[in-house]
Amino acid sequence: MHHFALTEEQRMLRESAVRLFEKTTPKWSDFAEMGWLGLLIDIKRGGIGGTVADAAVLAQAFGHGLVAAPYVTVAGLCAPLLCAAPATETLDGVIAAIAEGTQVVALAAGEAGSHYGLSGHATQAKSLPGGGWHINGAKAIVVDGGQADVFILAASIENERLGLFLIDADMPGISRRTYRTIDRHDACDLKLENVSLPQERLIVEGDLASELLHASVDRANVLLAAEAIGAMEAAMALAAEHIGTREQFGRTLSSYQVLTHRLADMHVRLEHARSMLMRGLAMLEAQPDVRAAAVSATMVHVIEAGEFVCGQAIQLHGGLGMSEESQVGQYYKRLRAIGRTYGDARFHLNRYIAHASADAA
Amino acid sequence: MQFELSPECEAFRREMQAQLRAMVPADMARRTRQRVHPTKDDLKLWNRLLNEKGWAAPHWPQEFGGTGWDPLLVHIFEEECAAADAPFPSYFGLRLVGPLLYTFGSQEHRDRYLPTILSGDIFWCQGFSEPSSGSDLASLRTRAYRDGDEWIVEGGKLWTTEAHFADKMLLLARTNPDVRPQRGGLSMFILDMNAPGVTRRPVITIDEGHSVNEIFFDSVRLPADALLGEEGEGWTYAKFLLAHERITNAHVPRNKRDVRMLRTIASEECDGGQPMVERPDIAEALARLEIDVAALEWSVLRELNQPSGNPAIASGLKILASEIQQRITDLAVDLVGPAGLVFYDEAAIECDDPAGDVADYVPGLAARQLFYRATTIYAGSNEIQRGIIARQAFGY
Ligand SMILES: Cc1cc2nc3c(=O)[nH]c(=O)nc-3n(C[C@H](O)[C@H](O)[C@H](O)COP(=O)(O)OP(=O)(O)OC[C@H]3O[C@@H](n4cnc5c(N)ncnc54)[C@H](O)[C@@H]3O)c2cc1C
């Protein structure tokens, strides 16, 4: 039985987020204090043990509040990924540090030319005779990686199987180039030259690693969809308010039906996108093929709706929507960024097609 | 109807292609590709280089400094300029003030200003829109009062493109509040941007670039001869310009270049080892854009060759062109994948080659996509254009 309404805990979670974002520009330590960074971490390992749906409620509030923080990356992607890997002491330490807000972790999977694909890594891990690893290669556009202390690195082991490694940003042989993204997040490129890792830094390998990576990125995609929904809601509200007050030709803009119908279309797109968010959440535990198709279906819908809703929110604002000082443009940019973090609408449409028979079944 | 491209046209194209490519300095070409907003230095230099050849304003009548080419040759010339990655010359002097002056201006104004527009010595901006008057331009509030022989201007303008480096503004102001703006209430002026009482504030747009400005007029004194044409004729002139603007804003040469660029990007960018252009969805999107640009081009050529004088046609061109511009940049960003997330500072693009180890076309793409959200807003929003078409074509 599906329950579409928020639980009592989720309502409280949302309210506490809205309250925090109204007050100030929140700090990372605030998120730790509220328990949000450990939301998807087991209680035994220092977290809260919440559900992905709980995290989605929070992500939506982040989107609505236009909070430029790597919340989804750290708490929604990396934390549950690490939790799902076979436990080691090193991993436990990193997981606890995420929950405490003392370490930021990012996923370094993409490479130049890999587009949004998650397999076929040119970065190589060589196993050393006495145990341990040597890593060589380069990673490109690691989203939210600018301030990361630790990376989950995808590399090819002996050119035959995927390995996920845990590397510290300050290890010898790693150089990082940090830059800004259009939505005021950060990203980085990494160069890895003969980076030596102890054996236990390989956290998972082979098919297991591949499935863990895909499942984790799918979860992150759905959480980004939730963030996008929050951003769309806010942008639409701003547009509605604007045309209700702005006058041209001696009438409020809301007296022009073309503009109110545009708002109506935005509303329709947003509501279907919201449904697809819920469907995506419901399918996260399905078998991999079904999950892949469902999550990509969600992303196609949400990304295209977001482009329309936030783009038209700018259009309804006229020139004002183009100003960097106005909020609608910031929502638009966040939407654009979400729509190319782990795939754009075209990528997800193709991915859906590749897995579609599974989803339709 | 008869369609054949004369051999002379082809020879002209080859000639222009060779000359223009040799004329554009390599660093200027790169900036044109990568920057959303051209620098003043590039605009000035390019204007000067064209003027040395007598090509600064091919679309003007020959007696005022035009080339005497027919509209098709002008079109070919502009296409080759775009193909050579020359900056699109500063719009306001060459496209607005020039035609306005040779059509409605006094001999004295023509003599004084047309040569400096051709040479690129004097830059202009267009001071029409105000905070409360965008689509409803006629409601503008900036006042020009008579004071003896002179005028005093109070008020302000918003969204004034290139005002931060313009020397003069083409100002639309209210001169008679007692009659309807459209019936003699508005006049056009030439305003010196360095006059006491003029202040400029940059308005940064969502691409984080600076091209538009807010301007404040605090008792700015204009000499008697600042009035352009006749007092009370401001609305007539504004309508003349807006109709012009809609055709130029079809930007066929630039769209053709950009869509060619798309094909290059699609061939170079890979998705898992496969060139993007081989992906069926990309091939289709690309084909649709090429076809739509062809449609736009032929609509423009038709209008240039046989002007309909029908505002519904010009408005239709503006709608199609602005939507194409957005779709081109949307697709371009899709093609580069996650690299479309990266923010490149325009200031960095100005100084040196920011591309580093990414392809030359990457910097500036994301910013252009963002700035082009404005194409459906400026030069008369697409909603306003649709209203014009409904009225003109159907009487509704
Ligand atoms: C990048 C940029 C550069 C510009 N450069 C210049 C310049 O150099 N000089 C200059 O003078 N101006 C310039 N403009 C201003 C531009 O002309 C105005 O932004 C435009 O006319 C829209 O006006 P507005 O921004 O006030 O929006 P509004 O008129 O407030 O419109 C807001 C929304 O309402 C819609 N709307 C308004 N009236 C109607 C109606 N009757 N029916 C249906 N829909 C309606 C619009 O389509 C729009 O979607 C520039 C604008 C931009 C964004």
Side-chain angles (χ1 to χ4, degrees):
Chain A
M1 186 54 193
H2 293 312
H3 290 281
F4 289 93
L6 296 191
T7 64
E8 191 48 39
E9 290 80 35
Q10 288 168 347
R11 228 191 318 276
M12 279 160 54
L13 195 58
R14 187 181 64 188
E15 272 157 28
S16 60
V18 168
R19 260 200 312 278
L20 178 68
F21 299 158
E22 268 170 6
K23 267 205 328 266
T24 48
T25 318
K27 296 187 302 294
W28 195 248
S29 55
D30 296 332
F31 306 154
E33 262 166 49
M34 313 281 278
W36 297 348
L37 298 175
L39 194 60
L40 297 183
I41 296 173
D42 271 0
I43 297 175
K44 290 197 296 289
R45 299 173 97 170
I48 301 285
T51 65
V52 185
D54 299 341
V57 170
L58 209 45
Q60 194 171 332
F62 270 79
H64 199 284
L66 203 59
V67 182
Y71 179 70
V72 170
T73 302
V74 177
L77 197 167
C78 293
L81 187 158
L82 296 177
C83 289
T88 63
E89 221 168 277
T90 317
L91 268 189
D92 282 343
V94 176
I95 290 166
I98 289 178
E100 286 160 13
T102 51
Q103 284 201 327
V104 168
V105 185
L107 172 69
E111 299 182 352
S114 70
H115 206 62
Y116 299 108
L118 292 173
S119 52
H121 301 276
T123 299
Q124 293 292 327
K126 241 184 141 42
S127 109
L128 299 176
W133 307 90
H134 246 175
I135 313 259
N136 279 288
K139 293 285 160 184
I141 313 180
V142 176
V143 174
D144 293 326
Q147 283 145 54
D149 308 288
V150 177
F151 293 97
I152 300 170
L153 178 88
S156 164
I157 300 176
E158 319 290 355
N159 234 336
E160 61 165 40
R161 59 190 193 278
L162 174 69
L164 296 181
F165 295 86
L166 202 61
I167 61 170
D168 301 337
D170 56 5
M171 282 175 163
I174 297 179
S175 48
R176 161 161 60 178
R177 194 173 68 83
T178 296
Y179 43 83
R180 256 196 50 205
T181 52
I182 55 168
D183 59 333
R184 295 180 188 277
H185 278 235
D186 61 52
C188 70
D189 291 352
L190 294 176
K191 264 210 186 77
L192 305 114
E193 281 168 308
N194 292 323
V195 179
S196 306
L197 294 180
Q199 188 64 35
E200 89 263 6
R201 287 294 182 129
L202 169 67
I203 55 183
V204 52
E205 65 180 306
D207 291 345
L208 222 58
S210 178
E211 169 49 21
L212 182 55
L213 181 61
H214 281 96
S216 301
V217 170
D218 273 341
R219 187 189 299 111
N221 264 319
V222 173
L223 291 174
L224 284 179
E227 192 180 336
I229 298 286
M232 279 187 246
E233 286 170 341
M236 187 174 77
L238 287 172
E241 188 188 318
H242 181 75
I243 72 163
T245 48
R246 168 94 171 164
E247 288 188 12
Q248 288 289 277
F249 306 98
R251 299 156 53 176
T252 55
L253 291 180
S254 57
S255 69
Y256 297 109
Q257 201 172 38
V258 64
L259 302 183
T260 52
H261 280 192
R262 192 77 48 82
L263 269 183
D265 285 337
M266 290 155 73
H267 191 272
V268 171
R269 299 287 289 264
L270 171 57
E271 286 311 315
H272 288 309
R274 199 193 301 278
S275 304
M276 286 304 274
L277 163 64
M278 293 176 182
R279 183 173 185 272
L281 280 167
M283 306 286 252
L284 277 178
E285 298 306 323
Q287 56 118 325
D289 252 2
V290 177
R291 182 198 67 222
V295 169
S296 280
T298 294
M299 294 317 281
V300 169
H301 228 277
V302 170
I303 291 169
E304 288 184 348
E307 180 76 37
F308 179 77
V309 170
C310 295
Q312 289 306 315
I314 292 178
Q315 183 71 22
L316 295 189
H317 275 78
L320 282 178
M322 287 300 298
S323 164
E324 179 68 358
E325 285 172 16
S326 91
Q327 291 276 296
V328 270
Q330 305 306 318
Y331 284 116
Y332 180 72
K333 288 196 268 190
R334 181 62 190 139
L335 245 304
R336 293 284 301 172
I338 286 174
R340 50 211 70 243
T341 298
Y342 306 116
D344 56 21
R346 292 176 190 285
F347 170 85
H348 284 294
L349 191 58
N350 284 321
R351 184 167 175 256
Y352 174 84
I353 292 169
H355 297 273
S357 51
D359 188 41
Chain B
M1 281 187 284
Q2 194 183 5
F3 302 108
E4 50 188 339
L5 215 49
S6 68
E8 291 80 39
C9 284
E10 275 314 305
F12 177 82
R13 181 189 292 284
R14 276 194 302 276
E15 171 67 24
M16 285 303 150
Q17 189 169 65
Q19 292 214 39
L20 288 163
R21 287 189 185 185
M23 279 164 68
V24 184
D27 58 327
M28 183 193 280
R30 182 182 56 73
R31 281 190 295 273
T32 306
R33 285 192 301 273
Q34 295 180 342
R35 287 184 60 107
V36 185
H37 312 289
T39 64
K40 181 177 189 178
D41 286 348
D42 279 348
L43 290 171
K44 230 181 160 71
L45 176 59
W46 184 239
N47 211 322
R48 209 194 71 214
L49 291 173
L50 286 178
N51 195 42
E52 282 167 7
K53 300 268 188 181
W55 301 338
H59 55 289
W60 289 11
Q62 214 165 355
E63 51 180 313
F64 300 111
T67 50
W69 299 332
D70 67 26
L72 184 58
L73 292 186
V74 175
H75 179 74
I76 292 173
F77 171 79
E78 288 174 350
E79 217 171 275
E80 290 308 323
C81 284
D85 292 331
F88 188 74
S90 182
Y91 188 84
F92 306 102
L94 289 162
R95 301 276 165 176
L96 299 185
V97 179
L100 198 59
L101 287 182
Y102 62 66
T103 313
F104 302 107
S106 66
Q107 194 57 43
E108 202 264 320
H109 275 164
R110 292 174 185 173
D111 294 344
R112 180 156 18 137
Y113 294 116
L114 294 182
T116 58
I117 292 174
L118 290 170
S119 66
D121 287 332
I122 298 286
F123 272 75
W124 291 77
C125 61
Q126 176 186 14
F128 288 14
S129 305
E130 298 181 4
S132 314
S133 309
S135 298
D136 182 11
L137 182 60
S139 69
L140 62 86
R141 294 177 189 167
T142 294
R143 278 291 315 264
Y145 307 87
R146 270 197 184 282
D147 183 43
D149 270 357
E150 300 185 332
W151 300 88
I152 293 175
V153 181
E154 296 283 359
K157 295 288 167 181
L158 187 57
W159 313 119
T160 323
T161 301
E162 293 178 6
H164 52 304
F165 56 61
D167 308 290
K168 303 276 178 195
M169 173 189 279
L170 178 66
L171 169 73
L172 186 60
R174 189 90 195 214
T175 39
N176 184 349
D178 301 326
V179 297
R180 287 185 53 204
Q182 296 92 332
R183 295 275 155 74
L186 299 172
S187 302
M188 206 82 93
F189 293 91
I190 296 167
L191 177 133
D192 183 353
M193 290 298 287
N194 296 310
V198 178
T199 37
R200 330 177 197 201
R201 181 182 79 87
V203 175
I204 304 303
T205 40
I206 57 173
D207 56 301
E208 298 187 51
H210 177 201
S211 64
V212 295
N213 302 271
E214 181 163 19
I215 311 293
F216 305 93
F217 307 120
D218 180 11
S219 299
V220 179
R221 196 164 272 282
L222 301 183
D225 69 354
L227 181 69
L228 192 156
E230 307 277 327
E231 183 177 348
E233 285 298 297
W235 191 248
T236 315
Y237 303 159
K239 279 203 324 207
F240 165 85
L241 291 178
L242 295 176
H244 251 252
E245 188 178 43
R246 271 159 211 160
I247 300 200
T248 322
N249 264 315
H251 284 305
V252 170
R254 188 191 298 178
N255 282 325
K256 282 182 80 169
R257 183 205 51 195
D258 288 351
V259 95
R260 263 199 313 275
M261 189 67 199
L262 271 183
R263 210 166 254 293
T264 309
I265 300 176
S267 316
E268 288 185 14
E269 289 292 316
C270 284
D271 173 8
Q274 180 196 29
M276 292 289 273
V277 69
E278 289 172 13
R279 254 173 55 180
D281 62 323
I282 298 297
E284 177 182 333
L286 206 49
R288 284 190 185 284
L289 270 168
E290 286 169 348
I291 293 167
D292 285 346
V293 169
L296 179 69
E297 177 176 36
W298 276 68
S299 295
V300 167
L301 288 177
R302 224 178 95 201
E303 190 61 20
L304 289 174
N305 188 259
Q306 230 201 352
S308 62
N310 180 354
I313 300 289
S315 292
L317 291 177
K318 197 272 169 176
I319 291 173
L320 183 57
S322 55
E323 292 176 354
I324 285 176
Q325 277 179 293
Q326 293 185 346
R327 283 167 49 210
I328 290 177
T329 48
D330 287 355
L331 180 57
V333 176
D334 283 358
L335 288 174
V336 301
L341 280 169
V342 181
F343 170 74
Y344 289 90
D345 187 359
E346 278 234 323
I349 297 179
E350 188 171 343
C351 313
D352 52 72
D353 192 342
D357 44 13
V358 302
D360 171 82
Y361 47 74
V362 171
L365 267 191
R368 195 179 299 264
Q369 190 279 337
L370 291 170
F371 186 71
Y372 277 11
R373 295 307 93 193
T375 61
T376 49
I377 296 170
Y378 59 49
S381 77
N382 286 19
E383 287 80 11
I384 292 296
Q385 308 296 352
R386 290 190 168 91
I388 292 171
I389 296 171
R391 219 165 23 253
Q392 296 289 337
F394 306 104
Y396 293 139

